[in-house]
Amino acid sequence: MVKVRKGSKPPPDGWDLIEPTLDELEAKMREAELAPHEGKRKVETLWPIFKIHHQKSRYVYDLYYKRKTISKELYDYCLKQSIGDKNLI
């Protein structure tokens, strides 16, 4: 499940539509973090992590700017919760 900070207000409408994809990307991120790294350079072990991080940010970007399927409130919520990288978008 995607990390949502405690004490914050509940997610806006539409969250339940994007949550399964974000959960899947979080699972991929955990796998990439726990993958064996023997025999690899440090940067080679970080490449999959950066790829998934960019993929998650691109997903949020596409939903808001390209497909226009999520609201401004949900987009801002995703950026505030650090689900998508504000500087990368």
Side-chain angles (χ1 to χ4, degrees):
M1 189 164 144
V2 178
K3 296 178 188 174
V4 177
R5 294 182 186 143
K6 296 185 189 304
S8 64
K9 60 183 180 178
D13 293 336
W15 173 254
D16 50 340
L17 299 174
I18 66 170
E19 188 176 22
T21 305
L22 294 174
D23 287 340
E24 181 182 319
L25 290 171
E26 280 291 322
K28 286 182 183 179
M29 181 70 82
R30 272 187 248 112
E31 289 175 15
E33 290 172 348
L34 298 175
H37 54 75
E38 290 79 25
K40 293 183 181 178
R41 295 180 301 166
K42 184 177 179 181
V43 293
E44 289 176 342
T45 60
L46 295 176
W47 288 338
I49 295 170
F50 288 135
K51 181 181 175 186
I52 295 168
H53 176 74
H54 288 195
Q55 190 176 15
K56 200 168 21 168
S57 294
R58 182 64 185 208
Y59 177 68
V60 173
Y61 170 82
D62 283 342
L63 287 177
Y64 183 68
Y65 287 106
K66 300 271 179 144
R67 296 189 217 162
K68 300 181 185 343
T69 55
I70 62 173
S71 64
K72 174 72 172 162
E73 295 85 27
L74 183 55
Y75 175 73
D76 290 337
Y77 179 81
C78 289
L79 294 182
K80 187 175 182 181
Q81 296 293 323
S82 299
I83 295 169
D85 188 355
K86 186 184 338 180
N87 294 325
L88 186 60
I89 293 175

